[in-house]
Amino acid sequence: MATGTREDVVDLLLKQHEEIRALLDTVERSSGERRKQKFDELRQLLAVHETAEEEVVHPYARRKFGGDGAVDEFLDEERKGKEVLKRLEQVETGSSEFLPLFRELRASIEAHARHEEEAEFPQLRIKGSEDELSGMATLVKAAEAVAPTHPRPGVESQAKNLVLGPVAAVVDRAKDAIHKARS
Ligand SMILES: [Fe+2]
Ligand SMILES: [Fe+2]
């Protein structure tokens, strides 16, 4: 945390990257019902985390230190990650197809997280004021609270997320509630 009790957006995103890495590891190592449950958690965290970055963090980075191409690379990596995640959603976690595809997802997500940590987060700390960094932490949490919980490759821009996000989020959250009630 930057100072006092205010949360800084970089701390928040780093904490989520660590949760994502831990879940990637747990899903790969587990089996049966636990793998299914942990994969659901991972899918949900990845979907809301990337949406919040696309709505709040990357547009700010582009405004503050855009022009170096990194933001376009992040959006491209996020689209590729969502495509693999969407394919994985169609596969049973216990089937023989799951692990090879999951390892592809893991490599893509880990490389993307490292890229943001090296090329974006340090710049946010340098260029952002304390107020901006704590304000963005609040915005990221608000965006995550209403974000879709399933991946939608092709919806990476801030504008598309804001148009399609709310409807998709209601549909996803209803589906999740029904799924939970049945299991
Ligand atoms: Fe990202
Ligand atoms: Fe991220």
Side-chain angles (χ1 to χ4, degrees), residues 56 58-66 158:
V56 179
H58 301 330
Y60 174 87
R62 202 192 283 280
R63 275 202 310 279
K64 282 276 181 176
F65 48 91
Q158 184 186 35

Side-chain angles (χ1 to χ4, degrees), residues 17 49-50 53 116 121:
H17 281 191
H49 173 86
E50 301 300 4
E53 286 181 339
E116 287 177 337
F121 296 178

Side-chain angles (χ1 to χ4, degrees), residues 137-147:
T138 306
L139 285 176
V140 163
K141 283 193 255 179
E144 287 182 348
V146 296

Side-chain angles (χ1 to χ4, degrees), residues 19 27 45 56 59 67 72 79 103 106 126 134 138 142 178-179:
E19 281 173 46
V27 172
L45 177 57
V56 179
D72 289 330
R79 180 184 49 75
R103 289 190 178 122
R106 184 172 183 171
I126 293 167
S134 72
T138 306
I178 292 163
H179 182 72

Side-chain angles (χ1 to χ4, degrees), residues 33-155:
E33 207 35 54
R34 181 169 162 78
R35 175 183 278 175
K36 200 162 173 290
Q37 197 193 333
K38 291 291 162 186
F39 177 69
D40 271 351
E41 272 179 47
L42 172 67
R43 186 252 309 139
Q44 172 149 356
L45 177 57
L46 276 175
V48 301
H49 173 86
E50 301 300 4
T51 297
E53 286 181 339
E54 287 158 12
E55 285 181 1
V56 179
V57 184
H58 301 330
Y60 174 87
R62 202 192 283 280
R63 275 202 310 279
K64 282 276 181 176
F65 48 91
D68 54 6
V71 170
D72 289 330
E73 287 169 14
F74 299 145
L75 296 178
D76 196 48
E77 290 161 8
E78 284 164 3
R79 180 184 49 75
K80 287 180 183 147
K82 284 184 231 174
E83 280 169 3
V84 184
L85 189 58
K86 201 171 165 62
R87 274 162 61 209
L88 259 177
E89 273 196 304
Q90 327 294 323
V91 175
E92 282 291 321
T93 50
S95 83
S96 59
E97 291 160 73
F98 184 82
L99 261 191
L101 199 51
F102 184 79
R103 289 190 178 122
E104 205 185 300
L105 175 80
R106 184 172 183 171
S108 139
I109 297 297
E110 286 178 343
H112 171 63
R114 252 194 328 272
H115 192 189
E116 287 177 337
E117 288 167 12
E118 285 165 7
E120 186 177 49
F121 296 178
Q123 291 294 320
L124 291 174
R125 283 243 165 89
I126 293 167
K127 306 273 166 45
S129 68
E130 204 184 305
D131 278 351
E132 284 174 320
L133 295 180
S134 72
M136 261 197 291
T138 306
L139 285 176
V140 163
K141 283 193 255 179
E144 287 182 348
V146 296
T149 59
H150 292 260
R152 284 183 174 71
V155 185

